[in-house]
Amino acid sequence: MITSEQREKLRGWFAGRLPDDLFEELTEVTVDREEITVIGRIPAPQLAEGGSAAEREAAVESRVQEFRERTRETRIEVAREAEHRFRRKVSWGVECDGERAMFTHIAAPVMTRLRQPERQVLDTLIAGGVARSRSDALAWCVRLVQRHTDDWLAELRESLENVQRVRSQGPDAPDADTDTEEAPKDGD
C-alpha cells in the first residue's frame, strides 16, 4: 500500500516524463505491489455525421491500434526508466471516445488456502459455466466484490493511508527529530 503523497509523486513523475504530445490527457496512474498502470486519453476518430455504432467501434479500435504501434518505442523507453526507478512493471492503456483499451498488463498469481465451503463456491461457479477453473472463479469473485464495494474499499484505503501517515511520524521515522543532548548527570 502506498500513501497518497507517494501516488501523487508517481503520477507527477509520469506527467513530467511523458512527451507532451503522447496523450491528450494523462487520465490515470494506478499502482500496486507488482505493477504501475498508465492510462491516457487519445483523440477520438473523426466520423461522418450519423455513422453507425459498428463504424464507430471499428474506427475507435483502429485508432487505438494505430496509437499503440506508433508510440511503442516511446512507451518502452519510459517504462524501462520507471521500472528501474520504482521496481514495478509498467502497463499501458488508453481511453478513446469513452472506450478503454489495455495494451499490456500483468496477471499476478495469488496463492490462497480455502476451506471446503469456500471451494464449493468456486466449484459451483465452474459447474454453472461462469468460470473455467477455480482460478477464474476466484478472479470472478474478486471482480464482483470490487464492483459492489467501491465505496467501502475507498474508505478502507483512506484509513490505511492514515495509519501509514501516523506511523511515519513515529519515533523510528527517518526524519524524526532526535534529541542528541545527554541528560545532565547528578552533580553537573
Side-chain angles (χ1 to χ4, degrees):
M1 186 81 191
I2 69 169
T3 64
S4 293
E5 182 181 348
Q6 291 168 325
R7 191 175 299 111
E8 289 168 5
K9 285 181 179 181
L10 182 74
R11 182 180 173 85
W13 186 87
F14 276 97
R17 176 56 185 88
L18 293 174
D20 290 337
D21 61 345
L22 186 65
F23 297 125
E24 283 185 330
E25 176 186 2
L26 180 61
T27 58
E28 186 177 320
V29 177
T30 56
V31 63
D32 66 12
R33 287 188 289 183
E34 292 86 17
E35 178 179 30
I36 300 167
T37 304
V38 180
I39 309 270
R41 183 173 300 115
I42 62 174
Q46 300 297 315
L47 299 173
E49 189 84 21
S52 69
E55 180 182 4
R56 179 193 159 279
E57 182 181 337
V60 167
E61 187 177 312
S62 295
R63 174 62 53 92
V64 167
Q65 189 61 35
E66 182 277 332
F67 176 87
R68 182 178 187 182
E69 296 302 322
R70 178 174 45 85
T71 64
R72 183 181 312 272
E73 293 304 316
T74 300
R75 291 182 294 106
I76 288 172
E77 182 181 329
V78 172
R80 282 187 180 135
E81 288 178 36
E83 288 169 5
H84 178 74
R85 180 182 186 107
F86 301 112
R87 304 281 186 240
R88 291 172 172 89
K89 290 291 184 188
V90 176
S91 300
W92 299 92
V94 294
E95 290 179 358
C96 181
D97 201 21
E99 301 294 325
R100 179 174 281 199
M102 294 299 298
F103 301 155
T104 55
H105 52 279
I106 63 173
V110 178
M111 302 301 287
T112 186
R113 296 184 184 277
L114 300 176
R115 301 206 183 281
Q116 187 179 38
E118 297 155 337
R119 293 190 310 267
Q120 288 174 334
V121 169
L122 301 180
D123 293 342
T124 301
L125 293 171
I126 294 166
V130 173
R132 296 182 321 246
S133 66
R134 284 181 172 175
S135 178
D136 286 344
L138 188 56
W140 184 89
C141 290
V142 169
R143 286 190 302 273
L144 181 66
V145 169
Q146 181 183 24
R147 181 178 308 134
H148 293 291
T149 60
D150 282 342
D151 293 337
W152 182 81
L153 288 175
E155 189 174 331
L156 180 60
R157 286 184 189 108
E158 184 178 312
S159 295
L160 289 171
E161 288 177 8
N162 288 332
V163 167
Q164 287 181 336
R165 183 181 46 77
V166 170
R167 281 185 185 156
S168 72
Q169 297 169 356
D172 295 332
D175 295 330
D177 293 331
T178 57
D179 188 7
T180 57
E181 293 182 30
E182 291 184 29
K185 295 179 183 159
D186 289 337
D188 281 347

